[in-house]
Amino acid sequence: MLRLSRLTDYAVVVLARMGEEATALQSAPGLAHRTGLPEPTVAKVLKTLAQAGVVEGLRGARGGYRLSKPLPEIKLTEVIVAFDGPIALTACVDGGSGLCESEHLCPVRGRWDPVNTAIRDALEKISVAELAGHALSPAEADFRLAAE
Amino acid sequence: MLRLSRLTDYAVVVLARMGEEATALQSAPGLAHRTGLPEPTVAKVLKTLAQAGVVEGLRGARGGYRLSKPLPEIKLTEVIVAFDGPIALTACVDGGSGLCESEHLCPVRGRWDPVNTAIRDALEKISVAELAGHALSPAEADFRLAAE
DNA sequence: GGAAATGGGACTGGTTTGGTCCTATTTAAG
DNA sequence: CTTAAATAGGACCAAACCAGTCCCATTTCC
């Protein structure tokens, strides 16, 4: 279905929430509570985002996570790549050869590259802030907390 | 990995091969042999393509398939949609509501739409012919047959 | 030293997908 | 009129993939 992993979706939610107070240090449990997402999942998401350098993790008691750059500067591709791997339609990844067993049989080898770059370009222009949009309004936040 | 189904890949291969003789009626077994792909798989691919209206299937002995329009006019999106379903990143499909259990909890609901349209636009501009490219050259065809 | 947090994996249940096969239906040829 | 060859449409099963959970090591503040 050309779908990206659900974790990517969660990541955007979490990042949007972090963007409300970009400078503050926020803990995984805290973010879990405020987003309404299960705590272990949020923890996993943040760990991955930290590895990707999208957020910065500080250890120890009173530790937490912080955006490593403002929300509008975080490109959607960064998040997608972190969870779904390199953006490449089809199993034969990019120029990597040797993996495909029937390499010499495959007449379209490498031909997907223009498609991939087209998609990459399209996603490159979108920032996480654009996906967050009005979802950050306090009104919705209250609504969501009340629903618990 | 943001990958599309392998059948989509096969479909492009088969279509490229059909494009060589766009007017001729070609049988599934014949195409299987000429592409080097397993026959049942090719059959399945062609059935799906026929349902999508990309190819036209004629029944009976001496039946077969034929492109319903020239290769350059077949948009890549048509093929992708046929196998992978509507192009929509994320599980929450488009505007369809009611499916997501925590709908009222999800702060990014619907916000993926701009992303989806961006991708759709990018793919809309690419035809199957562009993916086929030079793969149709007789030289490669011979090479492939020789490898069997 | 203890509590609270991140960091990094390991493991597992459920879902999805590929690939195969079987059975109807259609149509040309003998 | 019978037979063969092809499409049409599903059913089915094994394998791969993913999400979600949990566990343990490490770090840091009180």
Side-chain angles (χ1 to χ4, degrees), chain A residues 1-4 6 8-9 12-13 16-17 35-36 76 80 83-93 104-109 111-112 114-115 118-119 122-123 126 130-136 140 143-145 147-148, chain B residues 1-6 8-9 12-13 16-17 35-36 76 80 83-93 104-109 111-112 114-115 118-119 122-123 126 130-136 140 143-144 147-148:
Chain A
M1 206 211 262
L2 196 67
R3 74 184 188 294
L4 36 76
R6 199 176 302 185
T8 305
D9 207 338
V12 172
V13 176
R17 183 55 60 145
T35 54
L76 181 54
I80 292 180
F83 291 95
D84 302 79
I87 295 173
L89 296 187
T90 203
C92 326
V93 177
H104 54 286
L105 280 177
C106 180
V108 287
R109 194 163 81 88
R111 274 279 152 190
W112 285 93
V115 179
I119 291 186
L123 293 179
I126 303 180
E130 290 172 70
L131 272 99
H134 73 294
L136 297 172
E140 284 210 349
F143 169 68
R144 210 161 59 261
L145 285 170
E148 284 189 82
Chain B
M1 204 210 268
L2 197 68
R3 75 186 188 292
L4 35 75
S5 106
R6 197 176 302 183
T8 305
D9 207 338
V12 172
V13 176
R17 183 55 58 143
T35 53
L76 182 55
I80 292 180
F83 290 95
D84 301 79
I87 295 173
L89 296 187
T90 202
C92 324
V93 177
H104 54 285
L105 282 177
C106 179
V108 287
R109 195 162 79 87
R111 274 279 151 188
W112 285 94
V115 178
I119 291 186
L123 293 179
I126 302 179
E130 288 172 71
L131 272 100
H134 73 294
L136 296 171
E140 284 211 347
F143 170 66
R144 208 160 61 259
E148 284 189 82

Side-chain angles (χ1 to χ4, degrees), chain B residues 18 39 49 57 59 64-65 70 72 76 85 98 123 129 142-144 148:
Chain B
M18 291 180 77
E39 196 258 311
L49 286 174
R59 290 184 155 201
Y65 294 94
L76 182 55
L123 293 179
D142 289 340
F143 170 66
R144 208 160 61 259
E148 284 189 82

Side-chain angles (χ1 to χ4, degrees), chain B residues 28-52:
Chain B
L31 282 168
H33 180 254
R34 281 195 270 175
T35 53
L37 298 173
E39 196 258 311
T41 301
V42 172
K44 189 174 195 172
V45 165
L46 284 167
K47 280 182 232 177
T48 306
L49 286 174
Q51 278 187 325

Side-chain angles (χ1 to χ4, degrees), chain A residues 5 7 17 21 28 30-31 52 57 66 77-78 84-86 92 96 101 115 117 140:
Chain A
S5 104
L7 295 182
R17 183 55 60 145
E21 290 156 296
L31 282 167
R66 176 199 302 149
T77 48
E78 296 183 62
D84 302 79
C92 326
E101 46 179 45
V115 179
T117 58
E140 284 210 349

